[in-house]
Amino acid sequence: NHQVWDRCINTSERTRQFVDVKQRFPMPHEQAVLAQSKAIGLDPSYVYGLIRQESRFIMDARSSVGASGLMQVMPKTAQWTAKKIGLQNFKLSQLQDRDVNIAIGTGYLKLVLDAFDGSMPLAAAAYNAGPSRSRNWRKSVGDGELDAAIWTENIPFSETRNYVKKVLANATVYAAVISGQAQSVQTRLGTVTAKADGDV
């Protein structure tokens, strides 16, 4: 199956008058993504929002820093996550396998999401820039809580700031596609509090 999803999305994003949501927000590997997300209690629209941003659904995508596959998993992250989720005899070459990549990527995303109390913006920032950075940026909130949209605008790395916005915007569209109901980015963003996180 040689569907070039990245070109499909790129071309769709250039059309202004007519927007085909299914074309702009495709859902390749639907059964695998939905089954794995459901199995570990992750919102599949969040997973799709992240994959669309990470790899544009290119199975053998490789980044300049060594992240690979659909969910652009880094080698050290993959090995750590494999141990955490009980994946026996894991080898880095398996990241090229779609189902293993999805299992590791969603497993890591779930661990990070749980560590950040279910905050999608904090977890997306951690997925992109690392949990320790996300933790430090969270501390900037002080004692109270901050609207996550404002927190996101104050992420000091422009790449991560844009990444978080795009993942959450993507996820909101995917949630509408999956559920058939209108969705709110604001609800998905929520608020950020400075309480201590779990260990990731």
Side-chain angles (χ1 to χ4, degrees):
N1 187 356
H2 295 292
Q3 287 155 314
V4 275
W5 296 108
D6 59 324
R7 288 189 212 160
C8 170
I9 294 166
N10 293 348
T11 305
S12 180
E13 284 186 338
R14 283 200 287 272
T15 57
R16 293 282 172 252
Q17 272 67 41
F18 174 72
V19 177
D20 181 336
V21 173
K22 291 246 163 99
Q23 185 186 67
R24 198 168 288 191
F25 293 87
M27 292 175 62
H29 321 294
E30 188 170 354
Q31 282 183 304
V33 172
L34 295 185
Q36 183 61 26
S37 300
K38 190 177 176 190
I40 63 172
L42 261 183
D43 175 354
S45 58
Y46 185 47
V47 175
Y48 265 116
L50 187 129
I51 295 174
R52 184 182 187 275
Q53 195 55 33
E54 285 287 351
S55 69
R56 294 251 154 138
F57 305 102
I58 302 169
M59 290 280 292
D60 56 358
R62 284 195 95 84
S63 80
S64 58
V65 290
S68 62
L70 274 182
M71 296 194 71
Q72 289 292 282
V73 185
M74 293 289 282
K76 277 186 175 166
T77 301
Q79 287 166 326
W80 181 84
T81 305
K83 282 194 187 87
K84 283 278 191 188
I85 66 175
L87 200 59
Q88 301 294 318
N89 308 313
F90 171 72
K91 291 175 190 64
L92 285 174
S93 58
Q94 291 175 275
L95 284 177
Q96 299 310 310
D97 177 286
R98 181 198 71 177
D99 292 342
V100 173
N101 194 281
I102 292 171
I104 295 266
T106 56
Y108 180 63
L109 184 59
K110 175 72 167 135
L111 287 162
V112 171
L113 191 65
D114 287 350
F116 286 103
D117 305 312
S119 168
M120 290 187 189
L122 282 164
Y127 198 98
N128 178 260
S132 60
R133 287 201 183 102
S134 199
R135 260 196 297 279
N136 286 336
W137 298 335
R138 184 184 203 179
K139 286 176 191 158
S140 68
V141 172
D143 293 335
E145 62 178 30
L146 188 64
D147 191 308
I150 296 168
W151 179 83
T152 301
E153 287 300 339
N154 285 290
I155 292 172
F157 293 1
S158 60
E159 183 205 320
T160 305
R161 186 166 60 245
N162 292 330
Y163 176 88
V164 171
K165 287 194 233 179
K166 285 180 176 156
V167 167
L168 273 291
N170 291 348
T172 305
V173 176
Y174 277 115
V177 171
I178 291 168
S179 70
Q181 308 282 316
Q183 300 288 319
S184 156
V185 176
Q186 200 59 41
T187 306
R188 202 161 274 274
L189 279 163
T191 58
V192 171
T193 56
K195 71 181 275 307
D197 309 299
D199 182 31
V200 171

